[in-house]
Each structure stands twice: as C-alpha cells, then as structure tokens.
Amino acid sequence: MSRYTGAVCKMCRREGKKLFLKGDRCYTAKCAVERRSYAPGQHGQSRKKTSEYGLQLRAKQQAKRYYGIQESQFSKYFVEAERKQGMTGPNLLKICESRLDNVVYLLGWSSSRNEGRQLVTHGHYTVNGRKVNIPSYLLKAGDVIAIADKSKDSVKIKAVLEANGARPVPQWLDKTSETEAKVINLPERDQIACPVDEQLIVELYSK
C-alpha cells in the first residue's frame, strides 16, 4: 500500500487541529498548528464558508490522516463497519483503532503512528508469539502483542521505550510488562481519542 511521504505538519494545519502526527514535537511550542493556525498555501488565511459536504469531507480526511490510512483501505474499513452489528461510525473507528501500527503507538512502543508503521514493517513486534510485519493487521480481543526477542536489544527500540514509557495506556489494553501487552477488548467510542465526528463520515459515504 502507498503512503504519504510529504510534510505531515501541513496535514494538521489543513485540518485546523492537532492530529499528533509528529510525535513529541506536537506537544511543544514548535508544533506547526501552534505557530501557524491557518491552512497552508497562498490562500490559507482567507476565510471561506464551509458547506455541509465540506464538513463531511474534512471529517473523513481527518480520520484518514490521524491513522495514516489511504483512501482505498479506508473505504474497505467503512464497508466492513457497515456489515458489523452496531452503529457504523463507532465501528469504523474501532477498526482503525485496532490496527497493529496504532496499538504499537498507544503502548508507547513508537513515538508516532508513522514510526509505528515503520517499526512494524521492519518486524520488531509479534502477535501471539508470531512475527507480524503488516501495519494494517487488525488485532482482536485476547491477542498478545510483544516486542520481538531479537529487537529488545535494539538501540532504536530502547530509545523509543525510554522516551515513551510513561505514556498512559488506554483501558482496553493491558500492558503486562515493558515489552508485552494484551488486548482486553476492542475499544468503545469513549475510549477512542480520535478527534473526529464519525457521523459526518457516515453521511458522506451514504450519499
């Protein structure tokens, strides 16, 4: 799957809110949204009235960028969310939240979701004792995620753990040790921090 390789801070500025795509930098005064809280480009500071469709589109873009998902994959997730029992919007975010690269980030095993994607691709993590190098791998309740034995002595992994070890872990994840965790259950909507109105996404895809 392709991925965005441009300046991620521009994406936050375009959406007008922090999507926490840059790791620790997002929490400092160097954050692009703090320094320039307007959209990038020549006409970024001009005021424009946003239509109903525009609001729906922005909600979808925000969710995609927050999780680092491309359009085709996101569309597939929406179809899957529709088929599941319950409300489509929360189901969609639940699917996105259960991606391996996202869970690695939530556990403090990467500084950003983008870094989590890279580390997963390089084979630094296991699921239920087996190495998984697919960032979009969807975890289930009961799955055990761990840092691979060969990676525990990695300078990179040690630096990441030291920098993010104190990060709070969501209630739906049980971090049993510094290098191992278990998925207790898939998250409910109030346990998902994604700053998006998912109902707008449902309305967009329902047109």
Side-chain angles (χ1 to χ4, degrees):
M1 183 190 299
S2 63
R3 62 188 179 91
Y4 177 79
T5 58
V8 294
C9 290
K10 285 187 177 181
M11 294 197 288
C12 292
R13 290 178 58 206
R14 178 63 187 87
E15 302 306 333
K17 63 176 66 174
K18 291 187 179 186
L19 299 178
F20 301 97
L21 305 178
K22 201 73 173 180
D24 294 339
R25 185 187 180 94
C26 300
Y27 298 94
T28 70
K30 294 181 179 180
C31 173
V33 176
E34 297 285 352
R35 296 166 61 191
R36 292 174 289 179
S37 58
Y38 50 86
Q42 181 179 357
H43 304 290
Q45 298 187 61
S46 62
R47 294 185 178 181
K48 296 180 180 179
K49 185 177 180 180
T50 305
S51 65
E52 180 183 1
Y53 172 78
L55 291 173
Q56 295 166 351
L57 180 62
R58 293 267 59 84
K60 184 190 74 168
Q61 294 296 90
Q62 288 168 17
K64 284 170 49 185
R65 290 169 172 174
Y66 183 80
Y67 290 108
I69 303 173
Q70 297 297 311
E71 179 65 37
S72 59
Q73 184 79 71
F74 196 77
S75 298
K76 290 178 182 177
Y77 287 163
F78 183 82
V79 172
E80 184 178 344
E82 282 189 309
R83 293 173 179 169
K84 289 180 176 291
Q85 184 177 4
M87 299 178 64
T88 301
N91 283 346
L92 175 62
L93 295 185
K94 187 180 296 186
I95 292 171
C96 296
E97 196 78 357
S98 64
R99 285 170 56 101
L100 181 56
D101 56 357
N102 180 68
V103 171
V104 163
Y105 167 72
L106 294 178
L107 290 170
W109 294 350
S110 69
S111 297
S112 66
R113 290 177 178 83
N114 187 49
E115 184 180 59
R117 176 191 178 105
Q118 184 183 53
L119 293 175
V120 170
T121 303
H122 290 173
H124 288 294
Y125 308 104
T126 64
V127 178
N128 299 327
R130 299 182 63 180
K131 184 175 75 173
V132 177
N133 58 4
I134 303 172
S136 61
Y137 182 91
L138 298 180
L139 296 165
K140 305 180 294 296
D143 283 346
V144 175
I145 316 100
I147 297 176
D149 289 338
K150 292 183 179 180
S151 301
K152 290 178 181 178
D153 293 328
S154 165
V155 174
K156 173 63 177 178
I157 294 297
K158 286 183 177 180
V160 168
L161 292 179
E162 183 177 354
N164 305 289
R167 182 186 301 162
V169 176
Q171 293 180 343
W172 58 280
L173 296 171
D174 181 17
K175 195 172 181 180
T176 54
S177 72
E178 186 182 38
T179 60
E180 186 174 289
K182 183 177 182 179
V183 180
I184 302 173
N185 53 260
L186 294 185
E188 299 299 327
R189 180 61 184 99
D190 60 358
Q191 296 176 314
I192 298 175
C194 182
V196 171
D197 183 351
E198 65 274 12
Q199 183 56 35
L200 293 174
I201 303 175
V202 176
E203 293 172 1
L204 177 66
Y205 277 112
S206 300
K207 288 184 180 293

